[in-house]
């Protein structure tokens, strides 16, 4: 077999029996993406990657898969399971397993060489999973597998929670939090398990953040992966790590950035004011103002009251009542992508669980969309 420069032998499963094999520089023998689809695996193995709200895990084969949880994770509850090794490490004759999540990679195919004489490889022989990062885009899918509309929250018990537009996802406890008293004074948070449908019986607990100077009404809340809790209502308040189900009373306040909505990632706190295209960057350590991005340009023709924002994968998602817009986080340019929520829904509150944007409407229903 001779594969010259520019030549390609491409197959999902290829057995080569030859007296000699030569692959010149620029030649390819390829079985990439010839294996199992995402979250699938060979029988009697545990090779497939696992889905997790904080980042899907990778597939295993010759070794175990990687954890897709990013940096900054210290709690055991954040350690998702991962794909396990299987097959023979020296004579691998199994198809590769798929990665975790609906957008996980496809496993590698199979290549077997039986060569009586010599092999000279100056080109490329590969049976891997293609990098899917290039295909990350404006991807919406309804969860499980249609729009997930959570049961109505009992309005008599939790009246005003969703209309206040203050909601957040708590990663380590896997809970959705709603501010029950968004006005001045102590901040009362009602906590619901994300693993159960919302109902009065699934109220996990009620926590009170005391001593917060809330001269303005709280309009947004976020909990990061290290359990720090952030509130905004004009200025930004950062509460110490939420440990042992009690908020520590260590906190810092930023300069006034006129914050109405916020998002937090591994690097910064991002804030925006209603009707303004400006995105402020705050240092996470002390929520001091780091800088201001170029104004968001394009997209919504009229900027009004924001439901919320999410910063992910170098993009910023801006939700306004019944539509979502995506911008490049570095340049501020509109990515020419707008998603209009179905059935004319108008949403008042929003929480991001690391994979999906979940929003509540004025009827106390909660709907989630994967991005």
């Amino acid at each position: 077999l001779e594969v010259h420069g520019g030549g390609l032998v491409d197959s999902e499963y290829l057995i080569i029996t030859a007296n000699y094999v030569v692959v010149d520089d620029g030649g390819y023998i390829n079985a990439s993406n010839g294996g199992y689809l995402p979250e699938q695996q060979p029988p009697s193995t545990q090779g497939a990657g696992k889905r997790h709200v904080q980042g899907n895990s990778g597939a295993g084969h010759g070794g175990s898969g990687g954890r897709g949880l990013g940096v900054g994770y210290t709690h055991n509850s954040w350690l998702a399971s991962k794909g396990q090794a299987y097959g023979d490490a020296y004579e691998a004759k199994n198809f590769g397993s798929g990665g975790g999540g609906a957008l996980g990679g496809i496993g590698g195919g199979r290549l077997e060489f039986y060569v009586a004489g010599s092999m000279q490889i100056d080109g490329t022989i590969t049976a891997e999973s293609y990098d899917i990062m290039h295909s990350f885009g404006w991807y919406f899918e309804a969860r499980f597998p249609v729009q997930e509309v959570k049961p109505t929250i009992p309005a008599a018990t939790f009246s005003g929670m969703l209309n206040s537009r203050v909601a957040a996802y708590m990663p380590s406890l896997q809970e959705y939090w709603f501010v029950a008293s968004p006005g001045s004074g102590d901040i009362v948070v009602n906590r619901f398990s994300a693993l159960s449908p919302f109902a009065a019986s699934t109220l996990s607990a009620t926590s009170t953040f005391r001593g917060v100077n809330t001269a303005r009404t709280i309009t947004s809340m976020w909990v990061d992966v290290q359990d720090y809790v952030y509130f905004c209502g004009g200025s930004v308040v950062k509460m110490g790590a939420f440990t042992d189900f009690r908020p520590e009373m260590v906190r810092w306040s930023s300069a006034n950035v006129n914050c109405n909505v916020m998002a937090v990632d591994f690097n910064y706190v991002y804030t925006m004011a209603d009707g303004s295209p400006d995105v402020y960057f705050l240092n996470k350590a002390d929520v001091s103002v780091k800088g201001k991005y170029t104004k968001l340009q394009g997209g919504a023709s009229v900027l009004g009251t924001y439901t919320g924002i999410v910063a992910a994968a170098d993009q910023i998602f801006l939700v306004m009542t019944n539509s979502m817009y995506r911008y490049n986080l570095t340049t501020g340019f509109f990515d020419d992508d707008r998603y209009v929520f179905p059935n004319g829904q108008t949403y008042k509150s929003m929480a991001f669980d690391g994979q999906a944007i979940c929003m509540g409407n004025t009827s106390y229903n909660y709907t989630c969309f994967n991005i």
Side-chain angles (χ1 to χ4, degrees):
L1 172 67
E2 297 182 7
V3 183
H4 299 290
L8 170 65
V9 178
D10 191 51
S11 175
E12 296 178 351
Y13 181 20
L14 183 64
I15 299 176
I16 297 175
T17 302
N19 291 322
Y20 69 94
V21 173
V22 174
V23 182
D24 289 339
D25 185 22
Y28 284 84
I29 298 178
N30 178 55
S32 296
N33 267 35
Y36 286 87
L37 296 175
E39 299 187 318
Q40 297 184 21
Q41 60 203 4
S44 303
T45 75
Q46 296 295 322
K50 303 301 187 293
R51 182 182 295 230
H52 192 279
V53 294
Q54 292 303 319
N56 301 321
S57 293
H61 192 349
S64 58
R67 301 191 193 279
L69 302 184
V71 298
Y73 287 85
T74 58
H75 288 55
N76 289 334
S77 59
W78 290 329
L79 299 181
S81 57
K82 55 187 179 179
Q84 301 301 308
Y86 61 90
D88 191 314
Y90 298 99
E91 294 186 29
K93 295 183 179 180
N94 296 97
F95 286 103
S97 295
L103 295 181
I106 299 173
R110 292 174 59 179
L111 291 174
E112 298 180 27
F113 292 84
Y114 300 92
V115 182
S118 64
M119 291 185 69
Q120 180 177 335
I121 310 299
D122 296 316
T124 301
I125 297 177
T126 182
E128 58 187 3
S129 175
Y130 288 135
D131 185 357
I132 64 168
M133 289 302 293
H134 70 279
S135 65
F136 181 92
W138 192 227
Y139 174 77
F140 266 88
E141 69 168 7
R143 300 179 78 185
F144 311 131
V146 298
Q147 274 194 14
E148 179 190 4
V149 180
K150 292 184 179 294
T152 300
I153 296 176
T157 305
F158 306 113
S159 178
M161 285 167 49
L162 298 186
N163 286 325
S164 73
R165 75 175 180 174
V166 186
Y169 179 76
M170 200 323 176
S172 63
L173 299 180
Q174 294 185 283
E175 293 178 342
Y176 288 103
W177 287 8
F178 299 92
V179 171
S181 58
S184 60
D186 296 338
I187 300 176
V188 178
V189 174
N190 287 318
R191 298 160 41 198
F192 290 83
S193 171
L195 306 178
S196 304
F198 291 154
S201 61
T202 61
L203 178 65
S204 301
T206 296
S207 297
T208 301
F209 293 81
R210 303 185 184 279
V212 182
N213 182 10
T214 55
R216 300 185 182 185
T217 299
I218 297 298
T219 57
S220 186
M221 171 175 57
W222 201 280
V223 187
D224 71 12
V225 296
Q226 295 174 308
D227 292 350
Y228 286 97
V229 184
Y230 304 78
F231 299 101
C232 84
S235 61
V236 175
V237 177
K238 176 182 178 180
M239 303 294 294
F242 189 88
T243 57
D244 300 325
F245 304 98
R246 297 189 303 273
E248 296 177 359
M249 296 316 299
V250 179
R251 57 192 179 275
W252 302 267
S253 292
S254 77
N256 194 324
V257 291
N258 198 20
C259 171
N260 291 117
V261 292
M262 68 162 61
V264 181
D265 64 10
F266 291 112
N267 301 310
Y268 302 108
V269 178
Y270 307 90
T271 69
M272 293 185 71
D274 286 339
S276 171
D278 296 336
V279 179
Y280 285 87
F281 276 37
L282 279 61
N283 292 301
K284 286 188 67 177
D286 59 2
V287 289
S288 61
V289 177
K290 180 177 178 61
K292 184 174 68 175
Y293 252 26
T294 304
K295 299 177 186 294
L296 297 185
Q297 302 178 53
S301 58
V302 177
L303 298 178
T305 300
Y306 301 145
T307 302
I309 58 174
V310 170
D314 296 322
Q315 297 165 323
I316 188 162
F317 299 82
L318 173 64
V319 178
M320 291 191 349
T321 59
N322 65 351
S323 299
M324 184 179 301
Y325 302 83
R326 187 183 70 179
Y327 296 84
N328 185 290
L329 189 57
T330 301
T331 65
F333 294 151
F334 179 53
D335 279 352
D336 294 325
D337 280 310
R338 175 193 179 197
Y339 183 83
V340 179
F341 300 119
N343 304 319
Q345 288 288 344
T346 296
Y347 294 100
K348 297 295 185 181
S349 68
M350 192 182 89
F352 180 58
D353 66 8
Q355 181 173 337
I357 294 176
C358 298
M359 294 170 290
N361 61 23
T362 54
S363 299
Y364 300 93
N365 291 324
Y366 224 57
T367 307
C368 298
F369 300 89
N370 280 354
I371 60 172

